[in-house]
Amino acid sequence: MSLLRACLAILKREVRLGWGAGGGALLSASFFAGSVMVAPFALGPAPDTLGKIGPGYLWLALTLASLVSLERLFQADLEDGTLDQMLLSPVPHSLQVLSKIIGQWLATAAPLLATSPIAALLVRVEPAVILPLCGQLAVGSLGLFLIGAIGAALGASVRRGGLLVALVVLPLYAPSVIFGASAAAALAAGGDFFSQPFLFLCALVLAALAFAPVAAAAAVRLHVD
Amino acid sequence: MTAERHQQHDVRLQIAGVALQRGFRRLVTDFDLTCAPGDIIALQGPNGSGKTTLLRALAGFHTPASGRITLSRAQGDEIEEQGEVLSFLGHQDPIKAGEKLIDQLRFWADLCGASRDRVTEILARVGLTKQADLQGGVLSAGQRKRAALARLLLEDRAIWLLDEPASPLDQEGRALLGTLLDQHARRGGIILAAVHDPLPGVVARVLNLGTRESEVAA
């Protein structure tokens, strides 16, 4: 099973490099934790206001935190010629890109999601809702990483292109954030985990899983010429 | 020595009427070349004459403005996927600073479907046994080039495209490069190298990609 072996190798390498020296896997989690930490200062610590805004604020923090690691997703490989070699591999390029995205998601989103229950406590989310809410954030974060990869691929050859990538990606994030935040609001109002907005979010993530790797692979190919 | 190592390569490369362009500048026009198994070709020419662009076009990274590049097996069937038969060694070395050298080579072995067992043996062949457990960031330019050569051996493809392979190597490294090139050509491999100095240790067909102006200047 050489295809599976190659994809797993890419995925594991992405995790290894992310956690290695200078990999920056914890940057997104730190950004997420930091932005949640300032929320009570900015919005006021009153439990009823904060509790109302809290679930939506977590989605905002997740969206912005997921932008942090995007810039380097393809840029490092483009600069050191790794991308050339990956194009020469017999493994389909979109599968390689998918493995890279999943690898980065595991390396950067996992610590972020691990901090999310504490973050939820900080913004006064009802304790009973915290774990289901974090589950929804986990599903949504995969969608954000997949969609973000398209922007990262487009901006891969731009020096200091992080802000450009953010500008490209944020409008594409809108549907996921809308459904994610509505699902969170439904949870906070005592609704089901599998509410209608959450099902829409799941559909979005599945669609991104199918299309984003192909689009990102095509975009990244443009820079190799 | 594995049985696989003794297997002969039988890939042919044919370039017909290729023109290469960068921006609005024509670098190469009507370039023809046929390579049979065992050919070693040194591409020479001043900076900016299109050596790297030609190699990148052969690897499929750059689309020629016109012309045709065909890879075929001895029996005559054409090869669609460049990656099946071709290795590329660019002037950048795909070495990650934060990963052990041996892990990087294992990664390349996984990606091209080569056996992981050969990694240690190949590292010994290119003289990097002591560096196997070092992080990529501490390797010198010459050691990085040796690591790239190790990747080439690991991939075991018929055609080697080399962009300035000898530049950062020391005397011993150049001798090693010569041996590797010679062994590859003897097995029926094709080597195309963009160089400024003659390739060490082998006799190569020299092709000049010089522009007309530079020929007058020379």
Side-chain angles (χ1 to χ4, degrees):
Chain A
M1 229 17 233
S2 68
L3 203 67
L4 190 65
R5 182 182 160 206
C7 290
L8 280 177
I10 296 173
L11 195 152
K12 281 188 207 150
R13 185 185 213 204
E14 207 60 30
V15 175
R16 197 164 56 221
L17 288 174
W19 282 91
L26 285 175
L27 271 179
S28 292
S30 318
F31 183 89
F32 179 75
S35 57
V36 170
M37 188 200 76
V38 296
F41 306 134
L43 306 169
D48 44 339
T49 24
L50 203 53
K52 244 179 242 160
I53 303 170
Y57 190 85
L58 286 180
W59 265 93
L60 178 67
L62 172 71
T63 309
L64 297 180
S66 72
L67 291 172
V68 172
S69 60
L70 279 183
E71 183 186 2
R72 294 304 284 174
L73 179 59
F74 297 108
Q75 201 171 54
D77 283 356
L78 185 68
E79 278 166 4
D80 66 14
T82 302
L83 211 58
D84 290 350
Q85 302 303 333
M86 289 175 87
L87 279 176
L88 278 179
S89 146
V91 182
H93 195 215
S94 52
L95 277 182
Q96 299 183 25
V97 168
L98 178 64
S99 316
K100 257 187 90 69
I101 300 171
I102 306 261
Q104 205 196 29
W105 179 66
L106 288 176
T108 44
L112 187 154
L113 294 166
T115 57
S116 65
I118 303 160
L121 269 181
L122 276 177
V123 288
R124 307 255 182 189
V125 176
E126 288 290 322
V129 181
I130 288 180
L131 281 180
L133 178 61
C134 292
Q136 292 187 343
L137 286 174
V139 173
S141 67
L142 178 60
L144 295 180
F145 270 71
L146 284 161
I147 295 166
I150 302 173
L154 283 171
S157 63
V158 183
R159 297 276 161 278
R160 329 258 348 118
L163 208 57
L164 180 76
V165 172
L167 282 178
V168 172
V169 163
L170 276 173
L172 301 176
Y173 275 178
S176 317
V177 177
I178 292 170
F179 290 120
S182 326
L187 263 185
D192 284 340
F193 180 71
F194 286 104
S195 58
Q196 205 177 28
F198 183 61
L199 291 176
F200 268 109
L201 179 69
C202 292
L204 266 176
V205 174
L206 286 177
L209 204 55
F211 292 117
V214 181
V220 92
R221 180 73 183 74
L222 294 175
H223 302 295
V224 171
D225 196 330
Chain B
M1 286 272 168
T2 52
E4 178 196 4
R5 191 87 49 77
H6 291 297
Q7 204 186 329
Q8 287 280 322
H9 295 299
D10 64 345
V11 176
R12 281 160 195 283
L13 168 71
Q14 196 159 23
I15 307 172
V18 160
L20 301 171
Q21 198 159 351
R22 277 276 178 215
F24 290 109
R25 221 167 83 81
R26 255 312 140 96
L27 296 170
V28 174
T29 40
D30 265 336
F31 185 82
D32 296 300
L33 178 68
T34 307
C35 299
D39 279 358
I40 304 177
I41 293 170
L43 298 167
Q44 293 193 331
N47 296 131
S49 58
K51 302 185 293 289
T52 300
T53 310
L54 178 63
L55 290 181
R56 293 188 71 83
L58 292 176
F61 304 146
H62 176 83
T63 317
S66 65
R68 212 173 129 67
I69 298 166
T70 325
L71 298 162
S72 57
R73 298 203 186 277
Q75 301 91 331
D77 32 339
E78 209 172 298
I79 299 159
E80 295 287 334
E81 281 285 321
Q82 287 101 337
E84 284 174 23
V85 291
L86 183 149
S87 284
F88 179 79
L89 186 144
H91 53 86
Q92 310 144 304
D93 304 305
I95 308 277
K96 299 285 182 196
E99 195 181 24
K100 280 185 195 168
L101 180 60
I102 191 149
D103 286 336
Q104 312 207 17
L105 283 168
R106 283 187 183 135
F107 168 75
W108 293 117
D110 288 342
L111 198 64
C112 69
S115 163
R116 277 183 160 224
D117 305 334
R118 293 187 56 208
V119 168
T120 14
E121 177 212 327
I122 284 174
L123 274 177
R125 265 177 86 189
V126 297
L128 287 178
T129 306
K130 277 189 203 152
Q131 284 78 15
D133 286 322
L134 291 183
Q135 303 269 313
V138 300
L139 298 179
S140 75
Q143 288 169 335
R144 293 161 75 93
K145 199 53 89 183
R146 282 171 188 245
L149 286 170
R151 198 199 69 236
L152 238 55
L153 294 175
L154 202 57
E155 288 176 347
D156 195 34
R157 304 280 192 255
I159 302 176
W160 285 4
L161 305 174
L162 316 174
D163 196 353
E164 301 282 353
S167 51
L169 293 172
D170 56 13
Q171 285 302 323
E172 197 194 321
R174 284 175 194 225
L176 166 78
L177 175 67
T179 318
L180 296 180
L181 293 179
D182 186 51
Q183 284 171 353
H184 185 63
R186 277 174 202 280
R187 285 183 54 215
I190 296 173
I191 297 160
L192 272 105
V195 286
H196 287 293
D197 306 317
L199 279 170
V202 285
V203 184
R205 219 159 98 201
V206 176
L207 262 176
N208 258 303
L209 284 184
T211 57
R212 194 149 291 158
E213 297 95 305
S214 68
E215 277 169 27
V216 171

PDB file of all heavy atoms in Angstrom, chain A residues 156-171:
ATOM      1  N   ALA A 156       1.337  31.377  -1.537  1.00  0.00           N
ATOM      2  CA  ALA A 156       2.567  30.708  -1.092  1.00  0.00           C
ATOM      3  C   ALA A 156       3.842  31.423  -1.514  1.00  0.00           C
ATOM      4  O   ALA A 156       4.836  31.384  -0.806  1.00  0.00           O
ATOM      5  CB  ALA A 156       2.586  29.274  -1.585  1.00  0.00           C
ATOM      6  N   SER A 157       3.833  32.094  -2.678  1.00  0.00           N
ATOM      7  CA  SER A 157       5.089  32.680  -3.136  1.00  0.00           C
ATOM      8  C   SER A 157       5.219  34.149  -2.743  1.00  0.00           C
ATOM      9  O   SER A 157       6.183  34.800  -3.129  1.00  0.00           O
ATOM     10  CB  SER A 157       5.232  32.525  -4.646  1.00  0.00           C
ATOM     11  OG  SER A 157       4.204  33.227  -5.287  1.00  0.00           O
ATOM     12  N   VAL A 158       4.267  34.667  -1.978  1.00  0.00           N
ATOM     13  CA  VAL A 158       4.328  36.069  -1.568  1.00  0.00           C
ATOM     14  C   VAL A 158       5.100  36.177  -0.251  1.00  0.00           C
ATOM     15  O   VAL A 158       4.732  35.540   0.732  1.00  0.00           O
ATOM     16  CB  VAL A 158       2.912  36.652  -1.377  1.00  0.00           C
ATOM     17  CG1 VAL A 158       2.982  38.121  -1.034  1.00  0.00           C
ATOM     18  CG2 VAL A 158       2.085  36.427  -2.622  1.00  0.00           C
ATOM     19  N   ARG A 159       6.183  36.975  -0.265  1.00  0.00           N
ATOM     20  CA  ARG A 159       6.948  37.175   0.978  1.00  0.00           C
ATOM     21  C   ARG A 159       6.076  37.895   1.991  1.00  0.00           C
ATOM     22  O   ARG A 159       5.364  38.835   1.642  1.00  0.00           O
ATOM     23  CB  ARG A 159       8.172  38.031   0.701  1.00  0.00           C
ATOM     24  CG  ARG A 159       9.147  37.415  -0.235  1.00  0.00           C
ATOM     25  CD  ARG A 159      10.097  36.460   0.472  1.00  0.00           C
ATOM     26  NE  ARG A 159      10.721  35.570  -0.479  1.00  0.00           N
ATOM     27  CZ  ARG A 159      10.149  34.451  -0.956  1.00  0.00           C
ATOM     28  NH1 ARG A 159       8.958  34.087  -0.533  1.00  0.00           N
ATOM     29  NH2 ARG A 159      10.762  33.699  -1.836  1.00  0.00           N
ATOM     30  N   ARG A 160       6.172  37.514   3.245  1.00  0.00           N
ATOM     31  CA  ARG A 160       5.366  38.087   4.318  1.00  0.00           C
ATOM     32  C   ARG A 160       3.894  38.155   3.897  1.00  0.00           C
ATOM     33  O   ARG A 160       3.236  39.171   4.043  1.00  0.00           O
ATOM     34  CB  ARG A 160       5.849  39.485   4.722  1.00  0.00           C
ATOM     35  CG  ARG A 160       7.290  39.761   4.587  1.00  0.00           C
ATOM     36  CD  ARG A 160       8.166  39.728   5.830  1.00  0.00           C
ATOM     37  NE  ARG A 160       7.532  39.686   7.111  1.00  0.00           N
ATOM     38  CZ  ARG A 160       7.693  38.671   7.970  1.00  0.00           C
ATOM     39  NH1 ARG A 160       8.370  37.609   7.632  1.00  0.00           N
ATOM     40  NH2 ARG A 160       7.155  38.708   9.144  1.00  0.00           N
ATOM     41  N   GLY A 161       3.414  37.073   3.330  1.00  0.00           N
ATOM     42  CA  GLY A 161       2.074  37.084   2.756  1.00  0.00           C
ATOM     43  C   GLY A 161       0.978  36.684   3.729  1.00  0.00           C
ATOM     44  O   GLY A 161      -0.149  36.428   3.311  1.00  0.00           O
ATOM     45  N   GLY A 162       1.296  36.616   5.023  1.00  0.00           N
ATOM     46  CA  GLY A 162       0.308  36.150   5.987  1.00  0.00           C
ATOM     47  C   GLY A 162      -0.972  36.959   5.967  1.00  0.00           C
ATOM     48  O   GLY A 162      -2.075  36.417   5.999  1.00  0.00           O
ATOM     49  N   LEU A 163      -0.822  38.273   5.881  1.00  0.00           N
ATOM     50  CA  LEU A 163      -1.983  39.151   5.892  1.00  0.00           C
ATOM     51  C   LEU A 163      -2.797  38.988   4.609  1.00  0.00           C
ATOM     52  O   LEU A 163      -4.028  38.998   4.627  1.00  0.00           O
ATOM     53  CB  LEU A 163      -1.521  40.603   6.041  1.00  0.00           C
ATOM     54  CG  LEU A 163      -2.519  41.525   6.711  1.00  0.00           C
ATOM     55  CD1 LEU A 163      -2.895  41.014   8.080  1.00  0.00           C
ATOM     56  CD2 LEU A 163      -1.946  42.926   6.816  1.00  0.00           C
ATOM     57  N   LEU A 164      -2.070  38.798   3.497  1.00  0.00           N
ATOM     58  CA  LEU A 164      -2.746  38.583   2.214  1.00  0.00           C
ATOM     59  C   LEU A 164      -3.569  37.293   2.268  1.00  0.00           C
ATOM     60  O   LEU A 164      -4.729  37.258   1.847  1.00  0.00           O
ATOM     61  CB  LEU A 164      -1.706  38.511   1.092  1.00  0.00           C
ATOM     62  CG  LEU A 164      -2.279  38.286  -0.290  1.00  0.00           C
ATOM     63  CD1 LEU A 164      -2.899  39.572  -0.800  1.00  0.00           C
ATOM     64  CD2 LEU A 164      -1.212  37.803  -1.254  1.00  0.00           C
ATOM     65  N   VAL A 165      -2.947  36.252   2.818  1.00  0.00           N
ATOM     66  CA  VAL A 165      -3.650  34.973   2.949  1.00  0.00           C
ATOM     67  C   VAL A 165      -4.918  35.170   3.789  1.00  0.00           C
ATOM     68  O   VAL A 165      -5.995  34.692   3.433  1.00  0.00           O
ATOM     69  CB  VAL A 165      -2.722  33.910   3.578  1.00  0.00           C
ATOM     70  CG1 VAL A 165      -3.493  32.650   3.908  1.00  0.00           C
ATOM     71  CG2 VAL A 165      -1.577  33.592   2.644  1.00  0.00           C
ATOM     72  N   ALA A 166      -4.789  35.943   4.879  1.00  0.00           N
ATOM     73  CA  ALA A 166      -5.950  36.194   5.737  1.00  0.00           C
ATOM     74  C   ALA A 166      -7.053  36.908   4.959  1.00  0.00           C
ATOM     75  O   ALA A 166      -8.232  36.572   5.089  1.00  0.00           O
ATOM     76  CB  ALA A 166      -5.530  37.021   6.947  1.00  0.00           C
ATOM     77  N   LEU A 167      -6.668  37.880   4.135  1.00  0.00           N
ATOM     78  CA  LEU A 167      -7.667  38.622   3.360  1.00  0.00           C
ATOM     79  C   LEU A 167      -8.377  37.725   2.355  1.00  0.00           C
ATOM     80  O   LEU A 167      -9.565  37.874   2.103  1.00  0.00           O
ATOM     81  CB  LEU A 167      -6.984  39.779   2.606  1.00  0.00           C
ATOM     82  CG  LEU A 167      -6.652  41.005   3.439  1.00  0.00           C
ATOM     83  CD1 LEU A 167      -5.952  42.046   2.587  1.00  0.00           C
ATOM     84  CD2 LEU A 167      -7.923  41.593   4.028  1.00  0.00           C
ATOM     85  N   VAL A 168      -7.619  36.787   1.767  1.00  0.00           N
ATOM     86  CA  VAL A 168      -8.225  35.866   0.802  1.00  0.00           C
ATOM     87  C   VAL A 168      -9.165  34.899   1.515  1.00  0.00           C
ATOM     88  O   VAL A 168     -10.252  34.585   1.027  1.00  0.00           O
ATOM     89  CB  VAL A 168      -7.118  35.078   0.043  1.00  0.00           C
ATOM     90  CG1 VAL A 168      -7.723  33.986  -0.809  1.00  0.00           C
ATOM     91  CG2 VAL A 168      -6.287  36.014  -0.805  1.00  0.00           C
ATOM     92  N   VAL A 169      -8.738  34.464   2.694  1.00  0.00           N
ATOM     93  CA  VAL A 169      -9.420  33.351   3.341  1.00  0.00           C
ATOM     94  C   VAL A 169     -10.659  33.781   4.140  1.00  0.00           C
ATOM     95  O   VAL A 169     -11.665  33.071   4.162  1.00  0.00           O
ATOM     96  CB  VAL A 169      -8.402  32.610   4.242  1.00  0.00           C
ATOM     97  CG1 VAL A 169      -9.085  31.740   5.241  1.00  0.00           C
ATOM     98  CG2 VAL A 169      -7.465  31.789   3.377  1.00  0.00           C
ATOM     99  N   LEU A 170     -10.583  34.964   4.770  1.00  0.00           N
ATOM    100  CA  LEU A 170     -11.678  35.340   5.678  1.00  0.00           C
ATOM    101  C   LEU A 170     -13.068  35.314   5.032  1.00  0.00           C
ATOM    102  O   LEU A 170     -14.011  34.786   5.629  1.00  0.00           O
ATOM    103  CB  LEU A 170     -11.385  36.701   6.313  1.00  0.00           C
ATOM    104  CG  LEU A 170     -10.481  36.622   7.558  1.00  0.00           C
ATOM    105  CD1 LEU A 170     -10.079  37.998   8.035  1.00  0.00           C
ATOM    106  CD2 LEU A 170     -11.168  35.850   8.676  1.00  0.00           C
ATOM    107  N   PRO A 171     -13.228  35.855   3.803  1.00  0.00           N
ATOM    108  CA  PRO A 171     -14.559  35.768   3.188  1.00  0.00           C
ATOM    109  C   PRO A 171     -15.010  34.317   2.981  1.00  0.00           C
ATOM    110  O   PRO A 171     -16.189  34.000   3.108  1.00  0.00           O
ATOM    111  CB  PRO A 171     -14.390  36.465   1.841  1.00  0.00           C
ATOM    112  CG  PRO A 171     -13.155  37.256   1.949  1.00  0.00           C
ATOM    113  CD  PRO A 171     -12.292  36.604   2.964  1.00  0.00           C
TER     114      PRO A 171
END
